[in-house]
Amino acid sequence: MKDFDKLIETCLSELDKTGIKYGNVTKWEINTRAKKRWGQCRILPNGKSFEISISKRLLDDALPDESAKSTIIHELLHTCKGCRNHGSEWKKLASVVNSELGYNIKRCTSPAEQGIFGEKAVKQVKYAVMCLKCGKIYERERKSKLIKNPHRYRCGICGGKLGAMFPTDDKKS
Ligand SMILES: [Zn+2]
Ligand SMILES: [Zn+2]
């Protein structure tokens, strides 16, 4: 498993380079249960500090560091002023990060962002695979060929390799 603390540290110092002022995160958590989201940012009852959790799946050594790092930064951007949803402020900062640090952070259209900060709940999805390069999530209702063998397909956006997000019957070949 990847060193979560080290990834956080790297992300914070990268963000510092851009001059973006993020909020005070008092708790970082590895979420071992969430299957439908990569990360989550919650504001604490004091209204000032935040709690961020990242899916344990992203800390798998088989994934590039960028998968976890872009999620960490995505969530950190939610701690910025006016950025609790994916509105114009959040998008502006995401594009700064993307152009200055070479990330590909965008608003997820997936259950990854479910329910937090007033985002619309997404319909229940049984299966999904994720692009290991850009983070695009492909959801399927049925156990399609894509779900069964994600390694045989490439991301439609960036051409990156795909990896299973939910348990699949993916046979290593
Ligand atoms: Zn988000
Ligand atoms: Zn991609």
Side-chain angles (χ1 to χ4, degrees):
M1 200 169 96
K2 294 183 192 294
D3 185 337
F4 187 38
D5 292 335
K6 208 172 134 200
L7 289 173
I8 294 166
E9 215 177 287
T10 311
C11 288
L12 293 175
S13 68
E14 285 181 2
L15 262 191
D16 285 340
K17 279 189 235 157
T18 67
I20 290 172
K21 295 226 174 350
Y22 46 85
N24 180 29
V25 181
T26 49
K27 194 174 173 195
W28 289 92
E29 232 175 9
I30 297 174
N31 192 332
T32 53
R33 290 165 305 159
K35 292 195 168 120
K36 295 190 173 97
R37 65 169 81 98
W38 296 119
Q40 185 176 10
C41 177
R42 292 197 309 173
I43 188 158
L44 297 178
N46 68 17
K48 287 179 194 155
S49 41
F50 299 85
E51 194 180 284
I52 290 178
S53 66
I54 298 296
S55 168
K56 190 183 176 196
R57 288 157 193 248
L58 293 174
L59 300 176
D60 189 319
D61 283 321
L63 299 183
D65 283 359
E66 279 60 34
S67 301
K69 280 168 66 192
S70 64
T71 301
I72 290 169
I73 291 182
H74 176 126
E75 300 307 332
L76 273 169
L77 293 183
H78 281 311
T79 71
C80 298
K81 202 164 170 259
C83 289
R84 288 197 215 155
N85 53 28
H86 301 111
S88 56
E89 276 305 302
W90 184 90
K91 279 188 195 138
K92 206 168 82 189
L93 295 184
S95 75
V96 169
V97 167
N98 291 344
S99 66
E100 290 190 19
L101 301 174
Y103 281 95
N104 188 13
I105 293 166
K106 53 192 158 189
R107 182 199 192 293
C108 302
T109 53
S110 71
E113 300 299 328
Q114 198 169 18
I116 311 307
F117 297 134
E119 293 165 31
K120 271 189 216 145
V122 193
K123 71 174 179 217
Q124 199 80 3
V125 169
K126 281 196 188 135
Y127 305 102
V129 299
M130 180 178 82
C131 171
L132 303 181
K133 203 169 157 200
C134 75
K136 163 83 183 167
I137 296 168
Y138 296 87
E139 301 169 341
R140 294 292 180 270
E141 302 271 314
R142 297 203 192 126
K143 211 182 258 185
S144 63
K145 284 182 189 169
L146 171 69
I147 297 300
K148 283 182 190 157
N149 296 295
H151 60 275
R152 287 193 195 154
Y153 296 81
R154 290 279 172 160
C155 174
I157 294 167
C158 75
K161 284 184 186 170
L162 302 176
M165 210 177 143
F166 301 136
T168 69
D169 298 336
D170 190 12
K171 293 176 196 81
K172 294 258 162 16
S173 63

